[in-house]
Amino acid sequence: MPAPADNAGSANNTSARASRGLDWFNLFVANIQTGFGPFIAVYLSSQSWTQTSIGLALSIGTVSAMVSQVPAGALVDLIPNKTRVAAFSVVVFTISALMFAIHPIPLFVYLAEILHGISSCTLGPAIAAMSLVIAGRFGMGLRLGRNARYAAIGNGVGAALMGACGQYVSERAVFFLTAALTLPALVALLPLRRSAVAPEELRPPHLKAGESPVKYLSVLADRRLLIFSACALLFTFANAPMLMLVSGTLTAQGSNPSLLIAACIVLPQVIVALASPAVGRFAERYGRRIVLMIGFSMLPLRCVVFAVTQNPSVLIAAQILDGFAGACFGIMVPLIVSDVAGRSGHFNLSLGAVGFGIGIGATLSTSSAGWMADHFGTKPAFFGLLAISSLAVLTAFVMPETRPRRDADDDAGGGAGGAAPEDGERDLEPPARRRA
């Protein structure tokens, strides 16, 4: 009778390999994404691009990403094997990085920004979908905590590598390095090829004869999803321009602004890496709304600090609050969407809808905050963002709790795909089920 035990052991080993593969994939993808951040502006400036032209290129990428959110989510839902979507997205990243590096003429740069914006919208949902398949509904919080930890580590390592590459080799070399880092990301997907196939219950339902497709999109009208989308929009609107305004304050101080701004970027990533697993466990034990409110409340506190002081040390220390807010928000977005739409077959479509709201907030906020700062001063601009961030906290307060309850028909591992529980997940199971 050793066969069942052997099969169980084999399944556990497969699940563990898939989980580790997803860890490494998150790390390398974060490395890649770092190359498409502020290094683009530095590189294009070295190529004699004007600030207006650079702003146009970055805006093209932002608009492409925002418009692609919902259709990209629907596409990810339709493809059962999520690793294929992830691999396609990474390959497109490679092409985009090489277009920047080889010949940065306007046509190639604009096309690279469009490709990167679209592929980012397929990659994020693909990672969330792989997490749902591997960890299941009841292990999703823990899995997303691990995702955020490895992504934060990847961001920090990527920023250090690419900063050194740009400093000691050339700005162009940053994009060759970005393209090279896509190779280990693809290798990390290999253990996930069989584990990240969505089971039938997580796929979009088949239309019956005479039925309207609108019926199957009713999840987008769910009250919880609509309130959460409003929360995400308000939070992003208040959060996105904060570092831009702080950069102006630090630059006005005159001493090592680049170093100070780098510290403002790196410190929150350290906090995210340290806090994310604990945030995931807390959300599984005590619910989503309390985590959302705690995370959102960090932003008004940060606004107050930035408004009342210009001391560089205090401004940098306040970025610790951004780390906690980032950990909570980054985990809650896919987690709450999986609670609401995980079994509808439209998980990624719903994630794209929330992402669209986030994109609207990010697109409108920087110009609005810049206008307030130019016309009324930086301090009133921070107080304006304080009002909007406080509204985000209030919206989170009225949001219904979405944490799923364990039913008798739910699998013991909590996984939609029958995966074994991840690290720490067994502690969340009811005692009776653990004894079984």
Side-chain angles (χ1 to χ4, degrees):
M1 297 293 293
D6 292 343
N7 291 338
S10 176
N12 288 337
N13 290 336
T14 300
S15 177
R17 285 195 298 270
S19 186
R20 287 193 296 270
L22 190 54
D23 291 339
W24 285 106
F25 184 70
N26 276 286
L27 188 146
F28 286 119
V29 163
N31 282 339
I32 298 165
Q33 291 284 46
T34 302
F36 290 96
F39 294 101
I40 290 177
V42 175
Y43 173 54
L44 294 181
S45 295
S46 72
Q47 299 296 312
S48 301
W49 280 54
T50 66
Q51 291 301 312
T52 301
S53 299
I54 294 172
L56 175 61
L58 296 177
S59 296
I60 288 173
T62 300
V63 172
S64 299
M66 188 173 65
V67 172
S68 303
Q69 289 280 357
V70 175
L75 177 64
V76 176
D77 280 329
L78 290 172
I79 300 176
N81 194 327
K82 310 306 178 184
T83 57
R84 295 178 181 176
V85 182
F88 171 79
S89 303
V90 171
V91 169
V92 173
F93 283 170
T94 309
I95 296 170
S96 300
L98 292 176
M99 291 176 76
F100 272 110
I102 293 173
H103 202 32
I105 61 174
L107 176 61
F108 283 2
V109 170
Y110 297 155
L111 183 57
E113 281 289 319
I114 292 172
L115 290 175
H116 175 257
I118 295 173
S119 57
S120 294
C121 292
T122 55
L123 181 62
I127 291 174
M130 288 189 292
S131 301
L132 180 60
V133 173
I134 291 172
R137 296 169 66 220
F138 300 109
M140 191 65 167
L142 301 174
R143 178 65 256 178
L144 292 174
R146 289 178 62 165
N147 288 356
R149 164 172 281 183
Y150 281 89
I153 294 171
N155 282 327
V157 172
L161 285 175
M162 292 174 189
C165 185
Q167 178 70 28
Y168 299 109
V169 184
S170 70
E171 286 85 0
R172 185 189 299 268
V174 169
F175 295 94
F176 284 115
L177 176 61
T178 300
L181 287 172
T182 61
L183 297 177
L186 292 173
V187 172
L189 284 174
L190 294 178
L192 292 143
R193 287 176 299 172
R194 299 181 185 273
S195 303
V197 178
E200 190 65 33
E201 61 267 22
L202 295 184
R203 301 179 192 177
H206 299 289
L207 282 175
K208 298 178 181 178
E211 286 188 318
S212 170
V214 177
K215 173 185 176 183
Y216 294 98
L217 302 181
S218 60
V219 66
L220 297 182
D222 190 291
R223 175 171 169 266
R224 297 166 297 173
L225 193 66
L226 294 175
I227 295 176
F228 181 59
S229 296
C231 287
L233 189 155
L234 291 169
F235 176 82
T236 306
F237 189 99
N239 187 62
M242 294 286 284
L243 194 55
M244 177 189 73
L245 297 178
V246 170
S247 299
T249 301
L250 293 175
T251 301
Q253 301 298 314
S255 58
N256 297 323
S258 296
L259 185 61
L260 295 175
I261 293 168
C264 287
I265 295 172
V266 172
L267 183 57
Q269 295 300 323
V270 174
I271 300 301
V272 170
L274 294 174
S276 291
V279 170
R281 288 192 296 270
F282 191 91
E284 291 295 350
R285 290 182 183 275
Y286 302 107
R288 313 333 189 191
R289 186 171 63 173
I290 183 64
V291 175
L292 201 63
M293 291 179 61
I294 291 172
F296 279 15
S297 66
M298 299 295 106
L299 186 52
L301 294 175
R302 200 159 139 247
C303 290
V304 171
V305 173
F306 289 166
V308 301
T309 183
Q310 293 186 344
N311 185 309
S313 299
V314 177
L315 295 177
I316 293 172
Q319 286 296 92
I320 294 175
L321 301 175
D322 185 41
F324 285 113
C328 293
F329 185 62
I331 293 173
M332 286 304 103
V333 169
L335 183 57
I336 290 176
V337 174
S338 71
D339 293 342
V340 174
R343 288 189 167 185
S344 68
H346 297 298
F347 167 55
N348 294 288
L349 175 68
S350 303
L351 194 61
V354 175
F356 182 72
I358 293 173
I360 292 175
T363 302
L364 297 178
S365 63
T366 50
S367 57
S368 300
W371 182 86
M372 285 192 291
D374 288 339
H375 287 78
F376 305 106
T378 302
K379 183 178 292 188
F382 281 126
F383 280 118
L385 296 176
L386 170 62
I388 296 170
S389 60
S390 299
L391 183 59
V393 176
L394 291 175
T395 308
F397 179 75
V398 302
M399 180 177 166
E401 177 58 56
T402 64
R403 183 176 57 158
R405 297 176 180 271
R406 287 189 180 273
D407 298 322
D409 57 344
D410 286 320
D411 56 285
E422 299 197 33
D423 296 343
E425 183 182 345
R426 298 181 191 278
D427 295 336
L428 299 175
E429 295 180 10
R433 186 163 294 178
R434 287 202 299 267
R435 287 195 297 270

